[in-house]
Amino acid sequence: MAKKTAYMGMLTALAFVFSYIEFLLPINLGVPGVKLGLANLVVIVALYTMNVRWACILSAVRILLVGLTFGNPASMIYSLAGGMLSLAIMIAARKRKLFSVTGVSILGGVFHNVGQIVVAVFVVETTGLLYYLPVLVLSGTIAGVLIGILSSILIRHLKRVIHEEGLNCE
């Protein structure tokens, strides 16, 4: 149990650091909310090396920590909406085994943006924000490919280490 707790703590800290890096280096493509999603790399790794419950806890803790540290209540609502929808879709896609890790990551990137846009439409009370959706779907797809490739490499190596260490993360 101590090794599992240490592993979870390491993943949480890494996701927090990746979020901080993205906070410091915003991507400006003329559309608010476009990000690489580095922290999602850690969530995907948790989804494939631990169980669903631990991945959900990691994602929620990261969003809350980042929101309290670098954001505000509004940013936390958008992050929670995007993060939880993204995670739900990734969990469903992984269970169905129709997608590779990269495919799951692409779905996560796209649906993170969809979740945030849906919340924004309700908050701002205008469907005009839906015009951002094609750009956000494209950026989510590109980010999903990059994060998915990196996640695949990390998962392959971490599964070997987890097995060698006798760490039961399921």
Side-chain angles (χ1 to χ4, degrees):
M1 183 64 172
K3 286 183 180 182
K4 185 191 292 188
T5 303
Y7 182 64
M8 184 67 166
M10 179 198 68
L11 291 179
T12 303
L14 190 57
F16 184 77
V17 168
F18 283 168
S19 293
Y20 181 61
I21 290 169
E22 281 192 330
F23 175 76
L24 291 176
L25 304 170
I27 298 171
N28 186 358
L29 298 177
V31 178
V34 174
K35 291 184 178 180
L36 185 54
L38 293 173
N40 197 44
L41 183 144
V42 182
V43 173
I44 292 169
V45 166
L47 189 59
Y48 280 87
T49 62
M50 302 185 86
N51 62 30
V52 169
R53 186 180 74 137
W54 285 102
C56 290
I57 292 169
L58 169 73
S59 186
V61 167
R62 182 205 51 92
I63 290 168
L64 291 172
L65 283 175
V66 170
L68 291 170
T69 307
F70 310 118
N72 55 51
S75 68
M76 283 176 49
I77 290 169
Y78 290 115
S79 293
L80 278 169
M84 294 301 112
L85 179 61
S86 169
L87 186 58
I89 296 295
M90 290 192 300
I91 290 167
R94 181 174 185 256
K95 278 187 180 179
R96 297 220 186 332
K97 299 183 181 181
L98 296 174
F99 299 95
S100 65
V101 173
T102 301
V104 169
S105 176
I106 292 168
L107 289 170
V110 168
F111 279 92
H112 189 280
N113 291 335
V114 168
Q116 289 187 327
I117 282 289
V118 167
V119 168
V121 165
F122 283 106
V123 169
V124 181
E125 297 179 350
T126 179
T127 58
L129 294 174
L130 294 174
Y131 289 112
Y132 287 123
L133 202 52
V135 174
L136 291 174
V137 166
L138 178 63
S139 71
T141 300
I142 293 168
V145 168
L146 296 172
I147 296 300
I149 291 168
L150 290 171
S151 296
S152 295
I153 295 166
L154 284 171
I155 291 164
R156 189 172 44 248
H157 291 291
L158 282 172
K159 280 189 173 182
R160 187 179 66 235
V161 170
I162 287 169
H163 177 72
E164 288 171 3
E165 290 291 322
L167 179 60
N168 180 12
C169 290
E170 295 298 320

